[in-house]
């Protein structure tokens, strides 16, 4: 899947745990008779979601993209979202690949919703500390500001304990939209899901991988009208997705999914209606 990137990066897929969200909220106006075939729900109408991070290592920089839901969650929260993970998932997962928390030099967060940034900090002895003591945390300026002053629609997704300590400990780097902030690694800014979400594009020679985050959370969302009810602006997402996927098909980008429980990544081509998958990489393949 990542063979084209080996010239520059060793890439590890870090599964930081699973959780569930309401299937209707994930699929917006799409009726359950359709989405339940591809994303079957439990008795409480919830569907499975992964939290699949990426670790890039070039021998010097060790860059983690996204941090999962973390371990600061109350038992009520764990039950509501059916969180399935070890007590300290990032530590355990990184260790299984031979890394310690101290080894990570950069953490890139696509946006600060709790299921993406929860693992950015952890709690120890009543204190909340950055999980990666030696890392710079890279976040878009626009999303940082939105997270500090959220609107009522996505206020519940921005929990200060996940990101305010990063600033207090001097580990925060705020970047502009659409900036190349590390060599070959750029943000692509989108505003439909939330303000200033940045997808992460990694380019080696003429090959690119894009970490699709919540623009295309599940494989099902490759269908243009399948848009989350959580999004702040569904019409904006519709436009952004159409433009992004058209470019992804033309340029043969590898699209990496954070939330899809079965599919890690795909390549697509334009079809009559939407886009067809031409390459697919499954979990445990
Ligand atoms: Zn989100």
């Amino acid at each position: 899947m990542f063979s084209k990137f080996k010239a520059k990066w060793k890439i590890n897929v870090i599964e930081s745990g699973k959780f569930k969200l309401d299937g209707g909220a994930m699929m917006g106006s799409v009726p359950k008779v359709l989405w339940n075939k591809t994303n079957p729900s439990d008795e409480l109408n919830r569907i499975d979601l992964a939290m699949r991070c990426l670790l890039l290592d070039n021998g010097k920089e060790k860059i983690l993209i996204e941090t999962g839901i973390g371990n600061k969650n109350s038992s009520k929260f764990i039950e509501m979202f059916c969180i399935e993970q070890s007590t300290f998932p990032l530590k355990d997962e990184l260790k299984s690949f031979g890394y310690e928390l101290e080894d990570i030099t950069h953490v890139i967060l696509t946006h600060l919703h709790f299921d993406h940034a929860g693992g950015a900090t952890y709690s120890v002895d009543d204190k909340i500390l950055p999980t990666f003591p030696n890392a710079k945390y890279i976040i878009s300026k626009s999303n940082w500001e939105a997270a500090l002053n959220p609107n009522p629609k996505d206020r519940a997704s921005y929990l200060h304990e996940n990101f305010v300590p990063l600033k207090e400990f001097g580990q925060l780097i705020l970047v502009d939209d659409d900036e190349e902030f590390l060599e070959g690694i750029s943000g692509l800014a989108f505003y439909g899901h939330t303000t200033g979400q940045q997808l992460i594009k990694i380019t080696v020679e003429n090959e690119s991988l894009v970490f699709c985050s919540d623009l295309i959370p599940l494989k099902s969302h490759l269908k243009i009208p399948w848009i989350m009810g959580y999004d702040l602006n569904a019409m904006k997402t519709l436009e952004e997705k159409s433009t992004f996927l058209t470019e992804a098909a033309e340029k043969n980008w590898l699209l990496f999914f954070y939330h899809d429980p079965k599919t890690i990544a795909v390549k697509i081509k334009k079809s009559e209606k939407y886009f067809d998958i031409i390459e697919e990489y499954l979990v445990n393949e």
Side-chain angles (χ1 to χ4, degrees):
M1 163 175 37
F2 301 126
S3 56
K4 303 265 173 54
F5 300 90
K6 277 190 183 142
K8 182 159 182 192
W9 299 106
K10 190 174 149 207
I11 303 186
N12 293 309
V13 173
I14 307 288
E15 298 278 358
S16 79
K18 290 210 164 128
F19 76 125
K20 291 178 195 262
L21 286 173
D22 186 86
M26 282 303 290
M27 302 304 184
S29 57
V30 179
K32 185 172 181 179
V33 288
L34 294 181
W35 62 252
N36 204 48
K37 289 181 203 161
T38 48
N39 301 85
S41 66
D42 70 4
E43 67 289 353
L44 293 174
N45 210 46
R46 301 174 302 185
I47 61 168
D48 294 332
L49 287 105
M51 289 174 285
R52 183 177 301 114
C53 313
L54 267 185
L55 179 69
L56 311 178
D57 180 353
N58 65 3
K60 205 167 118 224
E61 289 152 325
K62 292 165 180 64
I63 303 168
L64 180 68
I65 304 179
E66 230 75 311
T67 61
I69 207 162
N71 65 358
K72 303 184 297 304
N73 307 306
S74 68
S75 49
K76 190 177 154 203
F77 189 92
I78 289 169
E79 200 184 316
M80 179 153 85
F81 295 110
C82 210
I83 300 170
E84 236 179 75
Q85 61 180 27
S86 66
T87 321
F88 204 156
L90 286 170
K91 193 171 180 177
D92 298 343
E93 267 290 298
L94 289 172
K95 213 172 180 78
S96 74
F97 288 98
Y99 298 94
E100 302 293 335
L101 299 177
E102 293 77 14
D103 296 334
I104 304 302
T105 59
H106 299 82
V107 176
I108 304 173
L109 296 167
T110 64
H111 63 303
L112 296 167
H113 281 167
F114 64 74
D115 53 325
H116 296 251
T121 63
Y122 76 113
S123 64
V124 59
D125 305 331
D126 291 342
K127 279 199 296 264
I128 294 180
L129 303 173
T131 307
F132 303 95
N134 300 318
K136 293 288 177 202
Y137 285 75
I138 299 170
I139 301 159
S140 87
K141 204 178 288 171
S142 44
N143 188 251
W144 175 262
E145 277 155 20
L148 286 178
N149 308 289
N151 66 59
K153 190 165 189 301
D154 65 353
R155 176 168 294 153
S157 297
Y158 286 119
L159 311 176
H160 278 199
E161 60 180 19
N162 292 336
F163 50 86
V164 170
L166 307 177
K167 183 158 196 242
E168 290 167 356
F169 282 79
Q171 291 179 243
L172 184 66
I173 295 184
L174 296 179
V175 294
D176 289 328
D177 286 0
D178 304 315
E179 190 183 312
E180 182 180 11
F181 41 77
L182 292 166
E183 201 197 318
I185 304 182
S186 318
L188 305 173
F190 293 90
Y191 281 77
H193 174 60
T194 188
T195 305
Q197 171 184 210
Q198 58 175 356
L199 307 199
I200 309 304
K201 181 157 161 257
I202 299 142
T203 302
V204 175
E205 288 156 19
N206 51 4
E207 288 290 327
S208 293
L209 175 166
V210 180
F211 189 98
C212 290
S213 197
D214 280 352
L215 179 68
I216 304 151
L218 300 167
K219 186 171 88 172
S220 297
H221 294 106
L222 289 170
K223 296 187 272 289
I224 299 288
W226 292 45
I227 290 171
M228 291 193 283
Y230 295 112
D231 285 14
L232 293 186
N233 185 337
M235 280 310 291
K236 183 88 187 147
T237 296
L238 190 126
E239 281 165 30
E240 289 177 337
K241 249 174 39 163
S242 307
T243 311
F244 171 78
L245 289 173
T246 302
E247 191 174 0
E250 278 167 15
K251 297 186 174 163
N252 204 29
W253 290 345
L254 179 66
L255 304 178
F256 182 93
F257 297 128
Y258 181 67
H259 282 310
D260 198 283
K262 295 198 181 108
T263 299
I264 298 175
V266 296
K267 285 192 172 186
I268 55 168
K269 72 169 184 359
K270 188 121 187 66
S271 67
E272 216 165 284
K273 206 171 173 196
Y274 305 123
F275 296 89
D276 286 342
I277 290 172
I278 50 172
E279 277 177 41
E280 181 167 12
Y281 300 93
L282 298 171
V283 173
N284 294 329
E285 209 179 45

